[in-house]
Amino acid sequence: MVPYQYHIVLVEDSEPDAFLVRESLEQVGVQCELQILTDGEQAINVLEAIESDKNKSSPNLLILDLNLPLVSGEKVLECIRQMRKCGSTPVIILTSSESPRDKDIAARLGATEYFRKSSRLDEFMNLGLVVRNLLLRSSEASA
């Protein structure tokens, strides 16, 4: 089995939305290991485990819902930006919120992109292009 080119962590408590994220990535040919976490506490624990294990590398991308159980996406983003190893990982905020406050907070905390979940399938599927372009930019920048 060929190892995946990318490791993407998706923090999303909605199973249908997680399914659509996976579909959007497959649709544009992003070959990745998609690790799905369903709450903010789990996300922080997984990222802290990566931080403390010198044999593990940080994910290539984190896709993060803002509205999560246990610990909010905002707190997860704040936490990740303080980490040594994972702190520079690109983060796409994936949310149904159109609130200017949420956009401002995401930008202030260092989110790379802000993608609003749409109720229209074709618009939601644009996430795959956003992810692919971001991964390509990140690969070029580190090369």
Side-chain angles (χ1 to χ4, degrees):
M1 186 161 137
V2 178
Y4 289 110
Q5 186 173 1
Y6 300 109
H7 174 208
I8 297 174
V9 175
L10 170 63
V11 189
E12 172 60 68
D13 60 318
S14 163
E15 207 173 300
D17 287 349
F19 174 81
L20 289 175
V21 169
R22 183 182 301 280
E23 289 296 306
S24 74
L25 297 174
E26 288 177 5
Q27 195 173 66
V28 296
V30 173
Q31 295 186 4
C32 66
E33 173 193 350
L34 184 64
Q35 183 176 7
I36 300 174
L37 308 174
T38 56
D39 66 62
E41 185 175 72
Q42 191 181 29
I44 289 172
N45 291 339
V46 165
L47 293 167
E48 285 177 345
I50 290 169
E51 270 304 293
S52 62
D53 186 341
K54 64 179 172 61
N55 296 318
K56 288 188 179 176
S57 57
S58 62
N60 299 96
L61 177 65
L62 183 74
I63 303 172
L64 178 63
D65 187 5
L66 284 180
N67 189 15
L68 293 168
L70 301 180
V71 176
S72 71
E74 180 182 323
K75 291 286 185 203
V76 173
L77 181 56
E78 194 172 10
C79 184
I80 195 173
R81 288 302 181 227
Q82 295 171 9
M83 294 180 171
R84 183 187 47 78
K85 192 191 298 185
C86 297
S88 60
T89 300
V91 176
I92 297 176
I93 297 298
L94 179 66
T95 183
S96 53
S97 172
E98 289 189 67
S99 160
R101 177 190 172 279
D102 287 344
K103 289 179 182 180
D104 289 345
I105 288 170
R108 183 175 48 77
L109 293 175
T112 314
E113 298 277 348
Y114 190 95
F115 187 90
R116 197 181 75 71
K117 296 176 187 176
S118 175
S119 57
R120 290 190 43 198
L121 180 62
D122 60 329
E123 289 177 6
F124 195 111
M125 296 310 269
N126 285 332
L127 176 64
L129 291 172
V130 172
V131 168
R132 186 178 69 189
N133 292 338
L134 184 58
L135 290 170
L136 291 173
R137 283 197 318 261
S138 295
S139 296
E140 290 167 1
S142 63

